[in-house]
Amino acid sequence: MILSRRAALGLLATAPAIAPMAANAETFAGRYAYDPQAIGPGLWLVRGADEAIAFGNGGAIANAAILACPEGGAVLFDCGPSLRYAQGLAALAEKLCHGPVRRVFLSHLHPDHALGTAAFDPAIVAALPATRRELERDGNGFADAMYRILADWMRGTAVALPAATVVPGPIEVGGRRLTALALHGHSDGDLVLVDEASGTLLAGDLVFHDRAPATPDADLAAWRQSLDALLALPHRQLVPGHGPFDPTGTAAIAQTRDWLDWLEPALDQAVTQGLDMTEAGMLPIPERFATMKMARYELQRSVAHFYAGIEARRLPRIDGTG
Amino acid sequence: MWANHAAWLLGKAPVRFDPAVIVTMPDVTENQHVFPVTVDARALPKVQRIVVLMDLNPLPVAIDYQPEGALAYVSLRIKLDQRTPVRALVLTADGIWHVAGRWVDAAGGGCSAPPVSRVKGDWAQHLGEMRGRLWPQADQTRLRVTVRHPMDTGYVDNIAAYNIESLRLRGAAGQALGTMTINGSVSEDPAFTLLLPPGLGGPVQVHMADSNGRTFDGTLAP
């Protein structure tokens, strides 16, 4: 019998036959710390670390938002990487909002935002249809990778597909009025919400702020169009998927756009100059991105995501048959 | 594993761990099927062979390159089946092996998951498509060549090993520029950067052969 690490940890948690061993095992001491930042009426930002997913941060690298419902209870926008994180986030939200979590919106498929859905009744978890499809495709692979890196932080976490579908347009949850937009570019399904009471754009990973954008499922042309759409959208302030709150509402959009506008031609030029992937990963990063954390890391990831495709377009055929 | 590999690869030849061999790899293993590695041994005299070794891979040797008329430099992409040391072993004419490298972290499955073109099912339509160019520069002529090939390792259910086995470079006068033995631990759709002496304007003939006896030829020009 071959057991994945995930299945093995699950067995430890549930199988009575080995409970005595588990009882004698060391208890995992990791605790997530939440530092909710009030950014509007009944609205809190819970920041993720501006780092890569690592054991040291428990995978809590993505931002989440908590919105209080006028009729009591809470709405969450994203719910972190693990069951443990999402349970803590829900407890925080219930305390801040004096009532249960009524609805969890998923911005997109990536595990640092989405695997926390394991903590909720799927009926209250809502996502775009594209996000659900992508989670069906990639969710288990993500979970395996997260268990490998995060081990006990992930205990009990399994992919829980959202059962509710977000329809673009106005949404009301417990009297909190939101507008949903279905965009894409960072992934196939990027959900954006605008909170009417505070004028806050909850941008998900379409917008990064002082933290370099990640591109594993990106369509850069579509991403740029979505950023244009966000700029045109009336709002006063912005919560990015990663990085600090943007009180201007536009600076983080412009910075994300600037990075994408630099990245794509830089990689294209690297290919046409004959650079290899290792060399492209060491390209100088312009001074104006000095405030961006994880810039070198995300550049090297983006090289891995795009380089072979650019080579296939830009290098000439030499076998005499093309 | 190192002692074992060193015994069968290097025999009783003297071995030196040598910072003159520069092995460049990204800090992050974004894709364990396609991990780029650059070996630069130009600081060493009279390099005879460059071997790229991943100690803990089921196919531990990726390439064995003899840069006959080329500079001691190669970039390639490899598969990683788990966390492993990745090393370059460089043999100089005095019979000494110069070794450098580092540990690389990677998730499992680089050698035991099917290549993308097998999943898409289009590998046969593109088999052997070659792309590349020469870039004449002041102190060298840079060469890049890519070829479409599934590079099956034989470790995926019901797919036999099938990979490019050799690459040979010839100059305009037929002179040998470089010869490489290639294994299935080189990534799908192999891509190489090699450096030739300056002033070699081309064309350069590249010839590859795979384990089913197919051969692939291309002509590289600036």
Side-chain angles (χ1 to χ4, degrees), chain A residues 76 89 120 135 194 200 238 245 287 291:
Chain A
L76 300 181
L89 183 71
F120 305 99
L135 274 172
V194 182
T200 305
L238 183 147
F245 173 60
E287 191 57 34
T291 59

Side-chain angles (χ1 to χ4, degrees), chain A residues 136-194:
Chain A
E136 280 172 338
R137 184 193 68 199
D138 294 341
N140 284 324
F142 283 150
D144 285 346
M146 295 290 274
Y147 268 88
R148 177 180 169 273
I149 298 169
L150 301 174
D152 268 331
W153 289 105
M154 295 296 290
R155 189 179 286 247
T157 308
V159 177
L161 292 174
T165 300
V166 177
V167 179
I171 296 175
E172 196 176 310
V173 184
R176 190 101 194 183
R177 290 144 73 103
L178 305 161
T179 305
L181 281 85
L183 300 173
H184 66 288
H186 175 73
S187 68
D188 280 350
D190 293 310
L191 172 66
V192 168
L193 294 180
V194 182

Side-chain angles (χ1 to χ4, degrees), chain A residues 273-317:
Chain A
Q273 288 175 344
L275 300 192
D276 202 275
M277 285 172 74
T278 51
E279 296 168 304
M282 295 310 290
L283 282 175
I285 294 170
E287 191 57 34
R288 66 182 189 278
F289 297 126
T291 59
M292 266 191 177
K293 296 190 173 131
M294 308 307 293
R296 175 69 55 198
Y297 172 84
E298 291 298 347
L299 169 61
Q300 293 189 347
R301 291 185 76 201
S302 292
V303 167
H305 304 148
F306 297 121
Y307 215 69
I310 300 172
E311 284 175 334
R313 291 196 300 276
R314 301 293 265 166
L315 291 180
R317 282 286 288 275

